[in-house]
Amino acid sequence: MASRIGREDLAALGRGYALLGSGGGGSTTMLELMLAGSGSWPVEAALPEELDPATPCLGVAFVGATMLLGERMPGSDPFRPLLGAVERWLGHPVPAVCSLEGGGLNGLAPLLLAGSHTVVDADCTGRAVPGLDQMSLFVDRVPGLVFACETGAGGVALVEAGRAIDAERVVRAAIIQAGGAGGAVLAGFTVGDLREHAIPGHLAHARELGRAFVRSSGRSLAELADALGARLLAEGRILSSAPYAADPHVSAVEVSGTDGTVHRIITRSETLALVSDGRLVASSPTVIVVIDAVSREILEVTDLSLARHVAVLAIPAPAWWEARPDRARHVRPSAYGLVELDAA
């Protein structure tokens, strides 16, 4: 059934999407502040099966180095030029909006359009991922997809790509020209496509995760993990961080466990795996979350600093990724060239 989202749910949604960021996806604070001043509350978010399947839909997201958005704040209506571009290309209005990325700040992005669009409670990843070609609609090869993004100075680039990697590369190049971060809109699909090719109910799921986190953050780590439906994998102090031998963009963060175990948190733009005493314990698409064991702050990979006392939790991956083998391969560590970190 439809989820009624109120202004009072923003903090819980922020914490839920921070957890589902798995160390990436960008801080939710900026969008929480932007949405707090919106006049569109409450928001009715409908599940895909509750709407006419022929309804055209789009997804919105911020792309690039999300930290730059704190320096170059987006306007109050950041996606409007991009919406106009895709509607001109398609030749018809697109009245519904969903989330492209279900982790980090982009989980909240569709709510920016709540005043003008029907919000669909579905998203295309269920967790933070670095590549546009990892969106579920691309993974399942839904035809006719169109991406529009900023190019800087008010410009818009639009690409209709038969290959997912083409969309990723063209949009990424345009965003670099725009200054390293900007908005993007994916269109050319319907609400009916989301029923099979996206993850439904994820807005409600993020809210429940966030509520559980807020209620339980003052409890023991084991109790917090239980409240989140997660596993507590490790606890200890960060000793070092070094580039991973197989990829200089990957870091291996060494943690001295409180029980004497040596843990290594493997990160890229998100946390990809945890290895304990040389044994693989968890890897993506499992949502691996690192929190400050003292303050309970949900940490991004850039926050994993020396001497910090951390805990590592594993939240189950959305079932959609494991439903077919050809889906999971897009989000396992081997998708980043780290074959040895794939779970058996």
Side-chain angles (χ1 to χ4, degrees):
M1 61 183 293
S3 294
R4 186 179 178 86
I5 309 295
R7 197 190 312 265
E8 68 279 4
D9 292 317
L10 265 177
L13 279 172
R15 301 293 72 69
Y17 281 122
L19 290 166
L20 293 168
S22 195
S27 170
T28 62
T29 302
M30 179 189 70
L31 285 195
E32 289 180 60
L33 293 172
M34 291 175 65
L35 289 166
S38 168
S40 302
W41 300 105
V43 175
E44 298 289 342
L47 290 167
E49 58 264 29
E50 297 172 326
L51 300 172
D52 182 345
T55 304
C57 190
L58 54 82
V60 294
F62 293 99
V63 180
T66 53
M67 287 188 293
L68 293 177
L69 295 174
E71 301 173 9
R72 281 191 301 114
M73 295 287 288
S76 59
D77 197 3
F79 299 112
R80 182 59 49 192
L82 308 179
L83 300 179
V86 297
E87 289 183 343
R88 288 192 299 273
W89 179 267
L90 296 170
H92 57 75
V94 184
V97 63
C98 69
S99 173
L100 280 186
E101 183 180 32
L105 67 86
N106 280 329
L108 295 171
L111 299 180
L112 292 172
L113 300 182
S116 58
H117 288 67
T118 299
V119 176
V120 186
D121 190 358
D123 82 78
C124 297
T125 61
R127 49 157 296 139
V129 296
L132 299 174
D133 54 327
Q134 293 171 293
M135 307 292 110
S136 60
L137 295 164
F138 277 126
V139 169
D140 276 1
R141 298 184 179 182
V142 174
L145 299 177
V146 178
F147 245 124
C149 69
E150 298 180 34
T151 63
V156 174
L158 188 144
V159 56
E160 183 176 28
R163 295 186 306 175
I165 192 61
D166 292 347
E168 159 65 19
R169 289 171 177 167
V170 172
V171 171
R172 195 71 59 182
I175 290 295
I176 290 171
Q177 178 174 302
V185 169
L186 178 66
F189 61 95
T190 65
V191 169
D193 290 323
L194 297 176
R195 296 182 181 182
E196 179 183 355
H197 306 299
I199 300 160
H202 214 255
L203 188 65
H205 176 55
R207 180 175 60 178
E208 291 310 307
L209 271 179
R211 286 174 173 174
F213 183 83
V214 171
R215 286 195 307 266
S216 307
S217 59
R219 300 179 185 176
S220 70
L221 291 169
E223 290 173 316
L224 173 60
D226 186 62
L228 296 174
R231 291 183 293 144
L232 177 60
L233 303 181
E235 181 188 355
R237 189 172 299 278
I238 295 178
L239 294 182
S240 66
S241 179
Y244 197 57
D247 185 342
H249 298 292
V250 175
S251 291
V253 179
E254 183 176 333
V255 176
S256 176
T258 54
D259 61 355
T261 303
V262 176
H263 306 284
R264 284 184 173 81
I265 305 168
I266 310 301
T267 70
R268 209 166 191 262
S269 54
E270 292 81 32
T271 302
L272 296 178
L274 178 73
V275 177
S276 299
D277 283 345
R279 179 177 61 88
L280 181 65
V281 175
S283 63
S284 60
T286 296
V287 180
I288 302 170
V289 182
V290 184
I291 66 171
D292 187 298
V294 179
S295 69
R296 298 298 199 261
E297 179 187 355
I298 302 167
L299 303 177
E300 296 188 58
V301 295
T302 51
D303 298 324
L304 302 183
S305 53
L306 298 184
R308 197 158 200 168
H309 189 175
V310 300
V312 184
L313 309 177
I315 298 174
W320 187 91
W321 287 107
E322 301 290 356
R324 295 197 331 228
D326 60 309
R327 289 173 175 171
R329 68 180 177 85
H330 291 272
V331 286
R332 289 178 177 151
S334 55
Y336 311 95
L338 303 171
V339 178
E340 69 277 14
L341 294 177
D342 280 1

